[in-house]
Amino acid sequence: PGQAEETTMDGNKMTKFLLLLIAVDLLLFSSTEGWFRRRRYRRRRYCSSSRPSGVAWKNNWHGSLYFKCPARKSIRVWQSEHRNCKGDRIHYFKCGYGPGRY
């Protein structure tokens, strides 16, 4: 009755306490600059508004398209290029004579 009670931590509580202490130590005192640097300087793709060179494209990005071949000719070549960042497609057409006439 007059004796002081001795308080001890059992093994399970001690393990949980140490894990909590390590986690707090890591959060407060570890260097996270590498993680932030990787996240901050993530390379973003540049979306150019210019049309690819080498072909006489018949429309612009988000532009209307009207193309008509000269009389007695039909479309022989149809090429297009799509860019996800623009959400659009540009077209190239070339006219020529139909089959049998070269």
Side-chain angles (χ1 to χ4, degrees), residues 22-92:
I22 290 170
V24 168
D25 182 44
L26 287 173
L27 288 173
L28 293 178
F29 303 109
S30 67
S31 173
T32 56
E33 187 173 325
W35 181 82
F36 282 121
R37 187 181 309 130
R38 282 191 305 272
R39 189 162 179 86
R40 193 176 337 137
Y41 296 114
R42 186 176 295 171
R43 188 170 238 180
R44 291 188 179 163
R45 291 186 180 179
Y46 175 71
C47 185
S48 172
S49 18
S50 66
R51 298 181 296 177
S53 61
V55 177
W57 299 102
K58 303 300 180 188
N59 66 322
N60 291 317
W61 300 110
H62 298 290
S64 57
L65 172 67
Y66 178 79
F67 181 78
K68 186 176 180 180
C69 286
R72 297 176 25 176
K73 289 188 175 182
S74 60
I75 294 176
R76 300 294 291 167
V77 176
W78 179 3
Q79 182 179 345
S80 69
E81 169 122 359
H82 181 267
R83 286 197 182 154
N84 285 336
C85 61
K86 293 285 183 194
D88 197 19
R89 183 173 293 277
I90 55 176
H91 299 274
Y92 165 74

